[in-house]
């Protein structure tokens, strides 16, 4: 349904980063389901991965190799290679070894990524059979094709791109993501790949990807389920004719950080907009918290409530459900008499009950929109947090009930 999500914007090529797409037929013949990405020699890479204890085999292999000299990223869809035990590790490493042999690099220079059904053996032979075609397809302008190649239950590809000028040199940041269900990234089934031609040291890049992911991918939720396969990678190819960024300071770093944050936010919110069965894009903003964690606790209590999510789907301003979620969020010594709750610009609850000025017609008018903001003022302090989520529709249940069929 893709709420407010249109065609892909222009995705600028990033010098020193190429993408190739091929078909392995993992779930169905002809499906472009293998993506190979090649980084220029000397590029730096940093990433964040899922905190799920049952993390997938490719996540474990990627973690082992992330601090080395990475040259290739290998992604397959249709099979998560998660919940597959030691055999999953063997298959993940085998697919990397085949790509390394074809590309003439060491096995440790290849990072694997998988997404799809959990608990089934990775069809490594099919992936190996597609690698030559993917390598032959490597191009700097294949971002849009790669965005389609990493999709699973997504209805639309997701990507964003920014450019800025510094000392007469153009710097590019482009990224793609996938994900529509099993979404509550806690990293820092979604994948994100963002590349820039800036030259950045590994330590600075690691801090930047953690910070960017925390403000974007770690602030979205569709169903509260943290995938076994979540990964987000940031690659700096170093091809721009500018000095290396060695510290998180200075004008060049500030420009890069803003552009990276913009790309992260756009492709993270695109995942929510394309949430499985979503008909609403919902912003949950919590202000006036005593600390950031209690703001997040309240926001996620609201965003994960099935009763609130189904009311959103029905465009029903059942504000009592919001109050209930705020109340059970676990904030200690919560004084409900200080809390105000808004639907859009309409105050629906104040001082522990229904706002004196509120009418059902006002609430219904806001709930009929495709994009809705729920704002909660706690009146406890100066901290604020914002997350993004969806409603819960019949279609979400149908998609996930039929996922393996």
């Amino acid at each position: 349904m893709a709420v407010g999500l249109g065609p892909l914007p222009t995705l600028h090529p990033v010098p020193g980063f190429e993408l190739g797409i091929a078909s392995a037929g993992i779930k169905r013949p002809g499906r472009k389901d293998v993506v190979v990405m090649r980084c220029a020699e000397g590029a730096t890479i940093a990433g964040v991965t899922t905190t799920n204890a049952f993390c997938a085999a490719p996540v474990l292999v990627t973690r082992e190799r992330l601090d080395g000299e990475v040259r290739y990223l290998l992604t397959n869809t249709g099979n998560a290679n998660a919940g597959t035990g030691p055999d999953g590790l063997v298959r993940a490493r085998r697919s990397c070894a085949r790509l390394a042999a074809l590309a003439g690099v060491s096995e440790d220079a290849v990072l694997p990524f998988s997404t799809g059904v959990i608990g089934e053996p990775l069809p490594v032979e099919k992936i190996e059979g597609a690698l030559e075609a993917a390598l032959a397809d490597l191009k700097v302008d294949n971002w849009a094709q790669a965005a389609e190649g990493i999709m699973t239950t997504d209805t639309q590809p997701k990507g964003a791109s920014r450019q800025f000028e510094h000392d007469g040199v153009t710097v590019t940041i482009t990224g793609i993501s996938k994900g529509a269900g099993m979404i509550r990234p806690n990293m820092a089934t979604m994948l994100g790949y963002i590349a820039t031609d800036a030259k950045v040291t590994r330590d600075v890049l690691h801090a930047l990807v953690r910070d960017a992911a925390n403000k974007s991918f770690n602030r979205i939720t569709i169903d509260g389920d943290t995938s076994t396969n979540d990964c987000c990678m940031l690659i700096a190819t170093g091809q721009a004719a500018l000095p290396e960024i060695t510290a998180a300071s200075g004008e060049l770093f500030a420009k890069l950080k803003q552009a990276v944050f913009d790309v992260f936010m756009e492709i993270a919110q695109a995942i929510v907009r394309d949430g499985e069965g979503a008909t609403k894009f919902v912003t949950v903003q919590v202000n006036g918290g005593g600390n950031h964690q209690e703001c997040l606790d309240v926001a996620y209590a609201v965003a994960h409530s099935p009763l609130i999510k189904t009311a959103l789907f029905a465009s029903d301003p059942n504000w009592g459900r919001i109050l209930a979620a705020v109340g059970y969020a676990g904030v200690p010594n919560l004084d409900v008499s200080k809390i105000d709750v808004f639907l859009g610009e309409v105050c629906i609850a104040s001082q522990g009950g229904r706002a004196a000025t509120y009418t059902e017609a006002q609430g219904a008018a806001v709930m009929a929109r495709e994009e809705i903001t729920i704002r909660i003022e706690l009146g406890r302090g100066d901290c604020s947090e914002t997350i993004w989520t969806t409603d819960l529709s019949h279609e979400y249940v149908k998609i996930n009930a039929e996922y393996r069929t």
Side-chain angles (χ1 to χ4, degrees):
M1 297 182 184
V3 182
L5 189 62
L8 280 173
T10 298
L11 300 178
H12 301 290
V14 176
F17 194 76
E18 301 165 287
L19 309 94
I21 305 92
S23 174
I26 293 172
K27 287 193 73 172
R28 66 176 187 269
R31 165 78 161 88
K32 293 285 185 75
D33 51 11
V34 169
V35 177
V36 171
M37 305 176 188
R38 178 164 64 192
C39 312
E41 191 170 358
T44 53
I45 182 168
V48 286
T49 60
T50 182
T51 59
N52 193 311
F54 267 104
C55 64
V59 176
L60 293 173
V61 176
T62 289
R63 287 176 182 170
E64 292 172 356
R65 301 176 176 181
L66 190 54
D67 288 331
E69 298 302 317
V70 175
R71 294 294 311 284
Y72 288 84
L73 291 76
L74 169 61
T75 303
N76 73 271
T77 67
N79 184 296
N81 193 12
T84 48
D87 179 66
L89 288 168
V90 171
R91 291 171 184 258
R93 291 190 175 110
R94 176 179 155 183
S95 63
C96 291
R98 178 57 181 160
L99 177 57
L102 290 170
V105 298
S106 71
E107 293 181 22
D108 287 346
V110 181
L111 304 183
F113 305 88
S114 298
T115 181
V117 177
I118 295 171
E120 296 182 0
L122 185 72
V124 67
E125 297 86 358
K126 290 184 177 181
I127 295 171
E128 289 176 331
L131 292 179
E132 289 190 31
L135 287 169
D137 189 52
L138 285 168
K139 302 182 187 71
V140 293
D141 58 355
N142 258 351
W143 282 96
Q145 292 79 1
E148 292 184 2
I150 63 174
M151 290 166 54
T152 49
T153 59
D154 309 60
T155 68
Q156 292 185 222
K158 302 163 183 67
S161 197
R162 297 288 190 279
Q163 291 182 316
F164 66 86
E165 298 285 328
H166 186 80
D167 289 345
V169 176
T170 299
V171 178
T172 300
I173 304 92
T174 297
I176 56 175
S177 65
K178 64 80 49 183
M182 195 177 274
I183 296 295
R184 184 188 177 182
N186 192 8
M187 300 177 288
T189 301
M190 66 130 283
L191 297 175
Y193 305 99
I194 302 90
T196 177
D197 55 344
K199 190 172 186 178
V200 188
T201 61
R202 194 182 304 276
D203 287 347
V204 173
L205 201 66
H206 272 299
L208 182 57
V209 72
R210 285 195 300 268
D211 199 9
N214 194 45
K215 299 298 184 184
S216 56
F217 290 110
N218 282 353
R219 295 295 184 267
I220 65 173
T221 181
I222 290 172
D223 43 27
D225 275 331
T226 296
S227 168
T228 54
N229 291 62
D230 289 342
C231 289
C232 179
M233 298 291 127
L234 178 59
I235 302 99
T237 68
Q239 300 300 294
L242 288 168
E244 183 175 39
I245 298 174
T246 59
S249 60
E251 182 183 358
L252 177 55
F253 173 78
K255 289 179 179 179
L256 178 66
K257 179 179 179 179
Q258 184 60 59
V260 167
F261 272 44
D262 287 349
V263 170
F264 268 67
M265 185 64 77
E266 188 170 335
I267 61 177
Q269 290 191 1
I271 289 174
V272 177
R273 292 183 181 278
D274 195 27
E276 289 173 345
T279 70
K280 312 277 188 181
F281 177 80
V282 184
T283 300
V284 183
Q285 182 180 353
V286 181
N287 301 323
N291 56 62
H292 288 281
Q293 188 57 53
E294 67 183 31
C295 292
L296 287 173
D297 290 343
V298 170
Y300 281 117
V302 171
H304 291 155
S305 165
L307 293 177
I308 295 173
K309 293 172 86 71
T310 49
L312 288 161
F313 173 62
S315 298
D316 176 15
N318 193 340
W319 55 270
R321 294 179 176 182
I322 300 174
L323 263 62
V326 174
Y328 65 61
V331 177
N333 303 314
L334 188 64
D335 185 350
V336 299
S337 70
K338 294 182 178 179
I339 296 175
D340 292 334
V341 180
F342 294 78
L343 272 179
E345 66 283 359
V346 177
C347 183
I348 59 174
S350 182
Q351 298 181 342
R354 180 185 183 123
T357 57
Y358 174 71
T359 67
E360 190 79 359
Q362 290 175 323
V366 175
M367 291 292 271
R369 302 170 186 169
E370 282 193 341
E371 302 198 17
I372 298 168
T373 297
I374 299 172
R375 178 163 60 90
I376 300 154
E377 301 287 343
L378 294 178
R380 293 166 58 86
D382 298 323
C383 293
S384 298
E385 287 288 349
T386 301
I387 67 170
W388 296 272
T389 190
T390 65
D391 57 339
L392 180 59
S393 69
H394 303 299
E395 187 66 16
Y396 176 89
V397 177
K398 184 175 185 292
I399 289 169
N400 285 282
E402 299 176 353
Y403 183 59
R404 298 205 304 166
T405 58

